[in-house]
Amino acid sequence: MRASNAAIAASGAGLLRASLTLLLDLREAPPRNDEDFESEATKALARFAPGFKAHAFLVKTAVGRLQATRMTRDRGDPAQVFITEAEALAHLGHPENH
């Protein structure tokens, strides 16, 4: 997980984030809520998500929505969490059909 997160952060290092939105699609992520996993995920998000014009999380289940909402709230993140792609894209200001 750490290596993947570092690779993602490195790939986005040169982006002009202030002009971009970010959709984090977590629908296929393994269901985990142990302290070590959440700590590592929170660190990764803190390194990658800041600076984007807006960002949103896309999850598969209501339980995933509760977990992501709690994790973002705990770190003071303004991201929103959605179950449908259409709602997430609308929040980010993108047309439903792209």
Side-chain angles (χ1 to χ4, degrees):
M1 180 177 175
R2 287 185 187 113
S4 293
N5 290 339
I8 291 168
S11 70
L15 296 176
L16 300 174
R17 295 174 188 218
S19 64
L20 301 171
T21 58
L22 174 67
L23 177 59
L24 297 155
D25 187 344
L26 304 173
R27 292 178 290 184
E28 298 303 318
R32 286 187 59 181
N33 67 349
D34 57 275
E35 189 173 322
D36 289 340
F37 172 80
E38 288 195 3
S39 175
E40 187 62 34
T42 299
K43 288 176 194 172
L45 288 171
R47 286 189 305 265
F48 188 73
F52 284 93
K53 182 168 55 173
H55 60 285
F57 293 87
L58 185 57
V59 297
K60 190 185 291 189
T61 65
V63 171
R65 186 178 203 165
L66 288 171
Q67 180 182 16
T69 299
R70 177 181 48 75
M71 289 176 67
T72 59
R73 182 188 62 236
D74 288 352
R75 45 180 286 270
D77 192 333
Q80 298 294 312
V81 182
F82 300 94
I83 292 179
T84 70
E85 187 173 350
E87 289 176 321
L89 290 172
H91 168 74
L92 294 171
H94 297 284
E96 187 173 333
N97 297 318
H98 39 259

mmCIF file of all heavy atoms in Angstrom, residues 6 12 21 29 45 48 62 65 69 79 89:
data_model
loop_
_atom_site.group_PDB
_atom_site.id
_atom_site.type_symbol
_atom_site.label_atom_id
_atom_site.label_comp_id
_atom_site.label_asym_id
_atom_site.label_seq_id
_atom_site.Cartn_x
_atom_site.Cartn_y
_atom_site.Cartn_z
ATOM 1 N N ALA A 6 2.924 5.996 -2.762
ATOM 2 C CA ALA A 6 4.067 6.832 -3.145
ATOM 3 C C ALA A 6 4.121 7.013 -4.657
ATOM 4 O O ALA A 6 4.400 8.112 -5.152
ATOM 5 C CB ALA A 6 5.374 6.213 -2.639
ATOM 6 N N GLY A 12 1.509 12.506 -9.666
ATOM 7 C CA GLY A 12 0.755 13.749 -9.670
ATOM 8 C C GLY A 12 1.550 14.958 -9.241
ATOM 9 O O GLY A 12 1.006 16.060 -9.125
ATOM 10 N N THR A 21 -9.925 18.981 -10.850
ATOM 11 C CA THR A 21 -10.703 18.293 -9.833
ATOM 12 C C THR A 21 -10.228 16.850 -9.769
ATOM 13 O O THR A 21 -9.647 16.328 -10.716
ATOM 14 C CB THR A 21 -12.207 18.337 -10.143
ATOM 15 O OG1 THR A 21 -12.444 17.739 -11.411
ATOM 16 C CG2 THR A 21 -12.721 19.773 -10.132
ATOM 17 N N ALA A 29 -11.800 -0.971 -3.693
ATOM 18 C CA ALA A 29 -10.832 -1.085 -2.588
ATOM 19 C C ALA A 29 -11.280 -2.183 -1.624
ATOM 20 O O ALA A 29 -12.481 -2.371 -1.400
ATOM 21 C CB ALA A 29 -10.726 0.244 -1.854
ATOM 22 N N LEU A 45 -3.669 10.361 1.662
ATOM 23 C CA LEU A 45 -4.597 11.409 1.213
ATOM 24 C C LEU A 45 -4.080 12.795 1.574
ATOM 25 O O LEU A 45 -4.216 13.734 0.793
ATOM 26 C CB LEU A 45 -5.978 11.186 1.816
ATOM 27 C CG LEU A 45 -6.747 10.008 1.245
ATOM 28 C CD1 LEU A 45 -8.003 9.750 2.062
ATOM 29 C CD2 LEU A 45 -7.084 10.244 -0.213
ATOM 30 N N PHE A 48 -1.571 13.688 -1.097
ATOM 31 C CA PHE A 48 -1.976 13.782 -2.497
ATOM 32 C C PHE A 48 -3.151 14.723 -2.761
ATOM 33 O O PHE A 48 -3.152 15.445 -3.751
ATOM 34 C CB PHE A 48 -2.324 12.390 -3.035
ATOM 35 C CG PHE A 48 -2.569 12.387 -4.516
ATOM 36 C CD1 PHE A 48 -1.510 12.532 -5.394
ATOM 37 C CD2 PHE A 48 -3.837 12.276 -5.027
ATOM 38 C CE1 PHE A 48 -1.719 12.556 -6.764
ATOM 39 C CE2 PHE A 48 -4.060 12.296 -6.395
ATOM 40 C CZ PHE A 48 -2.994 12.432 -7.258
ATOM 41 N N ALA A 62 -23.001 1.954 1.577
ATOM 42 C CA ALA A 62 -23.307 2.932 2.621
ATOM 43 C C ALA A 62 -22.272 2.857 3.741
ATOM 44 O O ALA A 62 -21.886 3.881 4.309
ATOM 45 C CB ALA A 62 -24.709 2.699 3.175
ATOM 46 N N ARG A 65 -19.307 4.681 2.605
ATOM 47 C CA ARG A 65 -19.577 6.125 2.678
ATOM 48 C C ARG A 65 -19.379 6.638 4.102
ATOM 49 O O ARG A 65 -18.772 7.691 4.310
ATOM 50 C CB ARG A 65 -20.997 6.409 2.202
ATOM 51 C CG ARG A 65 -21.314 7.861 2.110
ATOM 52 C CD ARG A 65 -22.722 8.061 1.593
ATOM 53 N NE ARG A 65 -22.825 9.385 1.017
ATOM 54 C CZ ARG A 65 -23.792 9.776 0.242
ATOM 55 N NH1 ARG A 65 -24.775 8.953 -0.088
ATOM 56 N NH2 ARG A 65 -23.821 10.996 -0.222
ATOM 57 N N THR A 69 -16.469 9.261 4.988
ATOM 58 C CA THR A 69 -16.927 10.531 5.564
ATOM 59 C C THR A 69 -16.252 10.783 6.903
ATOM 60 O O THR A 69 -15.773 11.882 7.177
ATOM 61 C CB THR A 69 -18.463 10.526 5.722
ATOM 62 O OG1 THR A 69 -19.056 10.377 4.429
ATOM 63 C CG2 THR A 69 -18.953 11.804 6.363
ATOM 64 N N ALA A 79 -13.666 17.242 1.227
ATOM 65 C CA ALA A 79 -14.157 16.329 0.198
ATOM 66 C C ALA A 79 -15.544 15.818 0.533
ATOM 67 O O ALA A 79 -15.927 15.717 1.695
ATOM 68 C CB ALA A 79 -13.205 15.152 0.035
ATOM 69 N N LEU A 89 -19.558 13.295 -10.105
ATOM 70 C CA LEU A 89 -19.172 14.153 -11.225
ATOM 71 C C LEU A 89 -19.921 15.479 -11.189
ATOM 72 O O LEU A 89 -19.339 16.534 -11.466
ATOM 73 C CB LEU A 89 -19.397 13.431 -12.555
ATOM 74 C CG LEU A 89 -18.445 12.262 -12.823
ATOM 75 C CD1 LEU A 89 -18.884 11.495 -14.063
ATOM 76 C CD2 LEU A 89 -17.012 12.746 -12.944
#
